[in-house]
Amino acid sequence: MTAHVPARPGLLASVATLDEMRTALAVGVDILDLKNPSEGALGAWAPQALVEAVAVWRAAGAPGSLSATVGDHPLEPDVLRTAAERTAATGVPLVKIGFALGDSTALPAVLDTLRPLARGTRLIAVLFADQAPDLAAVPLFAAGGFHGVMLDTADKAAGGLLAHLPVETLARFVSAARAEGLLTGLAGSLKMADIAPLAALRPHYLGFRGALCAEGRTSALDPVRLAAVRNTLAGRILA
């Protein structure tokens, strides 16, 4: 199956609180991403807060989609399964799981452990551009029943996505993921200037946090900055 190629990337906006979530809903985004930036690259919300967020999203008419990170964990099957199951149980439609640097031989065991969950939950694999990811593993995630795969950065102080991987490599990643029918995203301390070169690669979405905040990713979401990113993305209509 070949993934639908979007006319423009959607906007994934990471929000840290219910108030930020409501702000993002008012501005309009394609994917609301529930993430706690003070707890790391994929810091997780508490389960009860996720339940409340799902209720807010549904009350708003469930616009776009809703994702949540499971937290930063080692590449250990039982650890990742427990974290993913805990997040999925809250009703969040898209569950993002980080595959951190570690023993790559552990990946098949992790995917086997997650396979039963993937049958009923849309799992998104997150690879980290600053950890020399093995992009040849993309077909393994598709075979494991994952819904999507994305690239992000683990160390937010070490530069954005394009500081770690060139556009040519990112293009191969997006193409490989699309060929497997996977939802595809690019993120990692993205700035406004990154939108044009990354949008040209036609991922399904671009993910933002720091660029949406007035004073860095752990500060509050700024609706003016969010609207500016949304409007810039909307203007990148590709032939």
Side-chain angles (χ1 to χ4, degrees):
M1 178 179 67
T2 300
H4 167 69
V5 179
R8 66 171 180 87
L11 168 58
L12 178 148
S14 293
V15 295
T17 65
L18 288 173
D19 284 343
E20 288 190 358
M21 182 182 181
R22 293 184 180 97
T23 296
L25 284 168
V27 172
V29 302
D30 298 290
I31 300 180
L32 273 167
D33 182 46
L34 309 176
K35 179 189 294 184
N36 183 354
S38 66
E39 295 292 333
L42 297 181
W45 282 34
Q48 183 54 41
L50 289 177
V51 171
E52 294 172 9
V54 170
V56 169
W57 177 64
R58 288 175 176 165
S65 193
L66 186 69
S67 66
T69 54
V70 306
D72 292 317
H73 300 289
L75 196 61
E76 297 178 7
D78 291 342
V79 171
L80 287 179
R81 184 194 65 230
T82 298
E85 288 176 343
R86 181 169 56 241
T87 301
T90 68
V92 174
L94 298 174
V95 176
K96 292 169 60 181
I97 305 170
F99 287 80
L101 184 66
D103 181 4
S104 61
T105 61
L107 182 57
V110 172
L111 294 178
D112 283 345
T113 300
L114 291 171
R115 193 182 305 274
L117 181 62
R119 294 190 184 106
T121 301
R122 288 179 286 171
L123 302 181
I124 308 295
V126 182
L127 308 179
F128 297 104
D130 51 341
Q131 294 185 344
D134 181 5
L135 301 186
V138 167
L140 298 180
F141 291 107
F146 273 63
H147 181 72
V149 62
M150 69 177 294
L151 279 171
D152 201 337
T153 55
D155 184 353
K156 301 304 180 182
L161 181 67
L162 287 169
H164 300 285
L165 293 176
V167 167
E168 294 78 11
T169 299
L170 297 175
R172 289 196 297 272
F173 166 77
V174 171
S175 178
R178 282 203 309 251
E180 296 290 344
L182 294 169
L183 185 73
T184 309
L186 300 175
S189 299
L190 301 186
K191 297 181 172 30
M192 292 283 281
D194 297 324
I195 291 177
L198 296 182
L201 306 181
R202 295 192 176 185
H204 290 91
Y205 63 91
L206 296 179
F208 294 85
R209 172 61 190 178
L212 311 180
C213 304
E215 299 179 8
R217 68 189 297 269
T218 59
S219 65
L221 192 75
D222 180 349
V224 174
R225 289 172 181 259
L226 174 59
V229 169
R230 181 203 63 190
N231 293 339
T232 301
L233 266 173
R236 291 294 305 172
I237 305 299
L238 305 175

